[in-house]
């Protein structure tokens, strides 16, 4: 096997430890204008943008390490699959509560615990949501001020602002049959996006195979019509074939900034408040390096705002440890209620996934790695083979999955809302406002079911499987718009104790129906030309799984996360259990915002990285508009005629890449069971290492 450490040593331009702003605890100032909790994707973007104003001081507090000691495993793209950071001290290693509908299994929830967060450990997919999905987020705000910042027209500009896109080399474009529209990409942003410098011939079979089962190729997946099959852009810097992530993009290139401090290996434990009229004012942030550090723990003053950017688990955890959240959960954990906000930690939604594994005779990343390929060149430059990552992807809509039965399933989903809203196994909170939010999210997802938007994501994974090792590949399927909603809550007053995570997987029966039909498509893809020319046999689940009941039982035993948890600090109106308003301010708190992917109220048919970069850019501009007098994103949309722009974008999206209708499968056994059905449970099966890294 080639030495990833050797490869990374050659990346001197990106691996310097002399990073602007990194300090030790003894260098911290008494106070800062902005204290950012979390130095992950969003936190570093916002820190970089806010300190463009030399008169504003920013402190970032990151629980993880700087990443310098493991830069070898961050920078080389292929390392994400074969020598990544998951399962190490740079991974939070969360586990869910036992899942009732998965045979009582605890599901692993890896999250990056290092500067750069999950952008330093993930699979580097830069897949954007569709225009319709972003517009639903705007509509869910019910006309609140600032809502237009979250529609497609504004978020499209923000996502473009974050990136510098480099087209694929001609040979790569030909090999992968890559289609893109340069106009849908940015050219001056900090983050590099491109395609791998090396592709395997099997990748070129992807779109033709999908077309042969009725799923068309998307000509411009980044322009608002992200359905169909395509080769995804990735967060790769093609100048040296390294991972581009929030630290390398937004922090490392900066000259020294005296107004930016980054403190690693310290955990924000709580926010300290004082009453300020009708709202609580954050005056300081407490932090510590571990729960064993003697108390009192140190604090740092807050001049203007606290910005929570600790992710879908960390941000609600900090709020609740600070006394902000559902009163019953706080009291049960022994935390004094500072401000009752019942929506904190509610509406947990996640992409769930699994795969069909095939034995192959084709060359893949796994076979090359096993044979010791991909060595750096003798002259010290990086081998493009090291830049390969999985990127063949497709989004299948409800008609692709269910044929003519799609409308029947949709009708059943709509009809079940009344019963499910008061069922605590499906809507965990009895709070009337949170229940109203459950209904709003449910209706938005139900409305999207019959659209072109993908309901199941399909991925080609060339990084080996647990069943077949290097001589195998997989087609993966992941549910994109779950109707199951869960919750996250603290159970102790110790901020170093992990919160309870209960995503409620498969608590809504529509989820298993759609994922079942998606995994059937994954099998069909392996049986369809031209991809079937690389298949020797199916390894898993194999011929013993063919009926709907068998598929359902197998799914319960194997599904896991696609590593996209969200929605735990949902941006919704307060009367719908919202946690933040469209300016990202926490309801009832004068100067605290949540500025990460936990604020999205719905899931996307996309990977979370691209929209989270857009969100962070929007957050920085919203904050600047308050303190620097610059126009907010919402104001800019008003000035530029947002409604007309949005309408034109939506029209274009509807007219391009119209999904084909797959042959009618007949009526599958997709009828939703009655409330209170007893699910069958199966044995737990191991997931492949390659599967994990593909899905990030």
């Amino acid at each position: 096997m080639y030495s990833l450490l050797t490869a990374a040593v050659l990346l001197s331009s990106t691996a310097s430890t002399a990073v602007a702003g990194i300090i030790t605890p003894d260098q911290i100032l008494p106070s800062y204008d902005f204290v950012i909790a979390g130095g992950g994707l969003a936190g570093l973007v916002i820190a970089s943008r806010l300190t463009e104003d030399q008169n504003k001081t920013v402190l970032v507090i990151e629980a993880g390490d700087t990443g310098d000691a493991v830069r070898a495993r961050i920078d080389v793209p292929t390392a994400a699959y074969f020598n990544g950071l998951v399962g190490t001290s740079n991974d939070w290693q969360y586990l869910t509560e036992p899942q009732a509908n998965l045979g009582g299994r605890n599901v692993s929830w890896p999250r990056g615990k290092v500067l750069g967060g999950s952008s330093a450990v993930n699979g580097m997919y830069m897949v954007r949501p569709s225009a319709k999905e972003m517009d639903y987020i705007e509509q869910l705000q019910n006309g609140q001020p600032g809502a237009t910042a979250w529609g497609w027209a504004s978020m499209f500009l923000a996502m473009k602002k974050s990136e510098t896109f480099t087209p694929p080399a001609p040979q790569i474009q030909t090999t992968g049959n890559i289609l893109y529209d340069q106009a849908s990409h940015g050219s001056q942003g900090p983050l590099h996006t491109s395609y791998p410098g090396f592709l395997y011939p099997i990748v070129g079979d992807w779109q033709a195979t999908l077309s042969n089962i009725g799923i068309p190729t998307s000509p411009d997946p980044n322009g608002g019509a992200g359905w169909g099959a395509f080769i995804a852009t990735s967060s790769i810097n093609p100048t040296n074939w390294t991972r581009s992530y929030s630290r390398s993009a937004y922090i490392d290139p900066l000259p020294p900034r005296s107004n930016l401090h980054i403190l690693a290996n310290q955990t924000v434990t709580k926010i300290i408040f004082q009453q300020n009229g009708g709202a609580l004012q954050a005056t300081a942030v407490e932090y510590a390096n571990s729960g064993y550090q003697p108390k009192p723990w140190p604090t740092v003053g807050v001049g203007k705002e606290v910005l929570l950017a600790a992710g879908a688990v960390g941000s609600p955890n900090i709020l609740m440890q600070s006394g902000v959240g559902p009163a019953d959960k706080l009291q049960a954990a022994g935390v004094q209620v500072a401000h009752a906000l019942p929506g904190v930690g509610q509406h947990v939604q996640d992409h769930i996934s699994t795969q069909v594994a095939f034995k192959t005779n084709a060359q893949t990343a796994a076979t090359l790695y096993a044979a010791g390929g991909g060595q750096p060149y003798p002259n010290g430059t990086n081998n493009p083979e090291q830049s390969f990552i999985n990127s063949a992807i497709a989004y299948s809509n409800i008609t692709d999955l269910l044929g003519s039965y799609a409308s029947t399933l949709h009708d059943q989903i709509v009809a079940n809302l009344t019963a499910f809203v008061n069922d605590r196994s499906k809507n965990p909170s009895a709070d009337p406002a949170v229940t109203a939010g459950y209904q709003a999210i449910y209706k938005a997802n139900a409305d999207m079911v019959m659209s072109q938007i993908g309901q199941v994501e399909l991925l080609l994974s060339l990084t080996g499987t647990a069943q077949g090792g290097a001589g195998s590949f997989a087609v993966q399927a992941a549910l994109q718009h779950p109707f199951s909603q869960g919750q996250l809550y603290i159970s102790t007053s110790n901020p170093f104790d992990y919160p309870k995570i209960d995503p409620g997987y498969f608590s809504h029966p529509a989820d298993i129906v759609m994922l079942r039909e998606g995994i059937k498509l994954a099998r069909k893809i392996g049986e369809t030309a031209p991809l079937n020319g690389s298949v020797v046999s199916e390894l898993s689940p194999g011929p013993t799984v063919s009926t709907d009941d068998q598929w359902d039982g197998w799914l319960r035993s194997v599904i896991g996360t696609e590593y996209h948890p969200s929605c735990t600090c949902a941006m919704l109106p307060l009367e719908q259990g919202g946690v933040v308003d469209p300016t990202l301010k926490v309801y009832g708190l004068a100067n605290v915002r949540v500025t990460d992917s936990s604020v999205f109220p719905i899931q996307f048919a996309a990977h979370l990285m691209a929209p989270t970069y857009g969100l962070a850019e929007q957050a920085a501009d919203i904050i600047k508009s308050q303190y620097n007098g610059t126009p907010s994103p919402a104001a800019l949309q008003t000035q530029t005629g947002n409604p007309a722009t949005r309408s034109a974008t939506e029209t274009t999206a509807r007219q391009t890449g119209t999904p084909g209708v797959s042959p009618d499968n007949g009526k599958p056994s997709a009828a939703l069971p009655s409330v209170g059905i007893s699910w069958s449970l199966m044995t737990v099966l191991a997931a492949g290492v390659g599967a994990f890294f593909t899905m990030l």
Side-chain angles (χ1 to χ4, degrees):
M1 298 181 184
Y2 65 83
S3 169
L4 292 170
L5 179 60
T6 300
V9 168
L10 301 173
L11 309 179
S12 58
S13 62
T14 61
S16 170
T17 59
V19 178
I22 293 182
I23 63 168
T24 57
D26 61 327
Q27 295 173 303
I28 197 169
L29 301 177
S31 67
Y32 295 80
D33 291 323
F34 300 95
V35 176
I36 300 177
L41 189 161
L44 295 186
V45 172
I46 295 167
S48 178
R49 292 302 193 188
L50 292 182
T51 54
E52 290 171 346
D53 178 355
Q54 62 182 0
N55 294 315
K56 302 296 189 296
T57 57
V58 172
L59 171 67
V60 179
I61 303 177
E62 165 57 34
D65 198 5
T66 63
D68 292 330
V70 291
R71 202 63 185 257
R73 302 167 74 176
I74 294 174
D75 284 339
V76 180
T78 302
Y81 303 103
F82 302 112
N83 193 31
L85 297 177
V86 172
T88 72
S89 61
N90 300 112
D91 169 14
W92 283 95
Q93 302 185 53
Y94 294 118
L95 282 176
T96 70
E97 293 298 286
Q99 292 300 284
N101 300 301
L102 304 184
R105 287 194 293 128
N106 303 89
V107 178
S108 173
W109 268 29
R111 310 304 302 157
K113 188 180 182 183
V114 63
L115 281 183
S118 293
S119 76
V121 305
N122 65 14
M124 290 170 272
Y125 283 91
M126 289 296 290
V127 181
R128 294 177 185 164
S130 68
K132 190 175 182 70
E133 290 169 300
M134 292 308 315
D135 285 344
Y136 265 107
I137 290 186
E138 177 184 344
Q139 293 163 23
L140 282 167
Q141 307 314 307
N142 290 351
Q144 292 186 97
T148 55
W150 306 109
W152 171 257
S154 187
M155 278 290 285
F156 182 46
L157 296 178
M159 288 185 285
K160 289 173 66 175
K161 178 182 179 180
S162 71
E163 75 168 338
T164 289
F165 170 74
T166 301
Q171 181 181 350
I172 296 298
Q173 184 169 9
T174 300
T175 299
N177 297 314
I178 297 172
L179 298 178
Y180 65 92
D181 185 342
Q182 185 100 25
S184 293
H185 292 280
S187 60
Q188 300 180 48
L191 185 77
H192 285 279
T193 65
S194 189
Y195 300 87
F198 179 82
L199 287 180
Y200 298 90
I202 190 175
V203 176
D205 294 336
W206 177 252
Q207 291 168 89
T209 302
L210 272 290
S211 180
N212 286 339
I213 67 168
I215 298 176
T217 296
S218 175
D220 178 23
N222 289 286
W227 43 75
F230 54 95
I231 306 301
T233 52
S234 301
S235 54
I236 289 177
N237 183 345
T239 65
N240 56 12
W241 301 120
T242 60
R243 176 194 295 269
S244 186
Y245 67 113
S246 63
R247 173 182 163 174
S248 67
Y250 281 84
I251 300 298
D252 288 352
L254 297 179
R257 285 181 177 175
S258 60
N259 59 334
L260 171 61
H261 282 174
I262 299 171
L263 182 64
N265 297 304
Q266 300 289 328
T267 298
V268 170
T269 55
K270 69 177 179 180
I271 304 168
I272 298 169
F273 298 105
Q274 68 179 23
Q275 196 67 40
N276 182 14
L280 291 178
Q281 180 91 16
T283 59
V285 166
E286 182 187 78
Y287 61 95
N289 62 11
S290 76
Y292 301 104
Q293 180 175 337
K295 292 187 177 182
W297 289 336
T299 62
V300 60
V302 176
K304 298 187 184 302
E305 295 192 12
V306 174
L307 308 176
L308 296 181
V313 178
S315 289
N317 184 59
I318 292 171
L319 282 174
M320 286 186 275
Q321 290 291 347
S322 305
V324 179
D328 58 338
K329 301 293 187 187
L330 301 184
Q331 291 164 350
V335 173
Q336 184 175 351
V337 178
H339 175 61
L341 193 59
V344 175
Q346 298 298 314
H347 308 306
V348 174
Q349 295 160 66
D350 187 26
H351 291 164
I352 49 177
S353 65
T354 189
Q355 64 184 17
V356 177
F358 301 95
K359 185 177 180 180
T360 184
N361 52 21
Q363 185 186 37
T364 68
T367 59
L368 181 69
Y369 181 80
Q375 293 283 354
Y377 291 141
N379 64 1
T381 59
N382 299 308
N383 187 340
E385 289 178 353
Q386 297 173 281
S387 72
F388 176 81
I389 51 177
N390 293 318
S391 56
I393 197 167
Y395 290 91
S396 52
N397 64 33
I398 193 67
T399 306
D400 299 325
L401 298 171
L402 292 171
S404 61
Y405 197 70
S407 60
T408 302
L409 178 66
H410 173 256
D411 292 345
Q412 292 171 344
I413 290 170
V414 173
N416 277 335
L417 174 57
T418 301
F420 287 5
V421 75
N422 294 314
D423 183 341
R424 295 287 79 82
S425 70
K426 296 174 174 61
N427 170 27
S429 176
D431 182 85
V434 176
T435 294
Y438 174 91
Q439 291 175 302
I441 293 167
Y442 190 111
K443 289 176 181 177
N445 282 327
D447 193 29
M448 286 187 279
V449 164
M450 294 304 295
S451 73
Q452 297 157 313
I453 295 170
Q455 298 299 321
V456 169
E457 179 183 76
L458 300 161
L459 297 171
L460 178 64
S461 171
L462 301 180
T463 51
T465 68
Q467 298 82 6
S472 63
F473 73 86
V475 179
Q476 301 172 341
L479 183 69
Q480 299 297 285
H481 291 107
F483 282 90
S484 300
Q485 296 183 37
Q487 61 178 334
L488 179 156
Y489 56 93
I490 60 172
S491 60
T492 79
S493 60
N494 182 351
F496 289 93
D497 287 343
Y498 284 1
K500 303 292 185 180
I501 301 170
D502 184 4
Y505 290 142
F506 283 160
S507 60
H508 195 294
D511 290 355
I512 198 166
V513 171
M514 287 192 278
L515 187 54
R516 176 219 303 153
E517 298 308 313
I519 201 66
K520 286 182 186 178
L521 273 186
R523 170 181 278 175
K524 188 174 183 180
I525 289 167
E527 298 170 342
T528 302
L531 191 65
N532 65 355
S534 297
V535 173
V536 175
S537 62
E538 181 182 315
L539 296 170
S540 175
T544 60
V545 175
S546 59
T547 69
D548 285 347
D549 285 345
Q550 289 169 341
W551 278 114
D552 290 355
W554 180 76
L555 284 171
R556 294 181 191 284
S557 70
V558 299
I559 67 105
T561 178
E562 200 190 12
Y563 315 104
H564 302 154
S566 186
C567 315
T568 51
C569 293
M571 186 197 310
L572 288 169
L574 181 60
E575 61 270 20
Q576 292 182 349
V579 176
V580 301
D581 67 18
T583 69
L584 305 178
K585 283 191 173 181
V586 177
Y587 292 112
L589 307 184
N591 62 336
V592 177
R593 300 183 208 247
V594 181
T595 56
D596 58 37
S597 61
S598 67
V599 305
F600 292 130
I602 59 172
Q603 279 282 3
F604 305 117
H607 288 237
L608 270 179
M609 184 158 60
T612 303
Y613 274 112
L615 181 150
E617 291 281 7
Q618 296 289 75
D621 284 343
I622 289 168
I623 295 165
K624 286 181 177 181
S625 73
Q626 176 171 340
Y627 296 100
N628 293 17
T630 54
S632 69
L636 287 172
Q637 286 306 305
T638 302
Q639 293 168 10
T640 56
N642 181 38
T645 304
R646 186 166 62 250
S647 176
T649 304
E650 205 169 289
T651 300
T652 301
R654 288 172 179 152
Q655 291 175 347
T656 55
T658 303
V661 178
S662 58
D664 189 352
N665 301 324
K667 180 178 177 180
S669 56
L672 300 185
S674 59
V675 177
I677 187 167
S678 175
W679 298 105
S680 61
L681 303 173
M682 297 288 285
T683 306
V684 176
L685 300 179
V689 173
F692 167 77
F693 291 109
T694 296
M695 304 305 282
L696 276 166

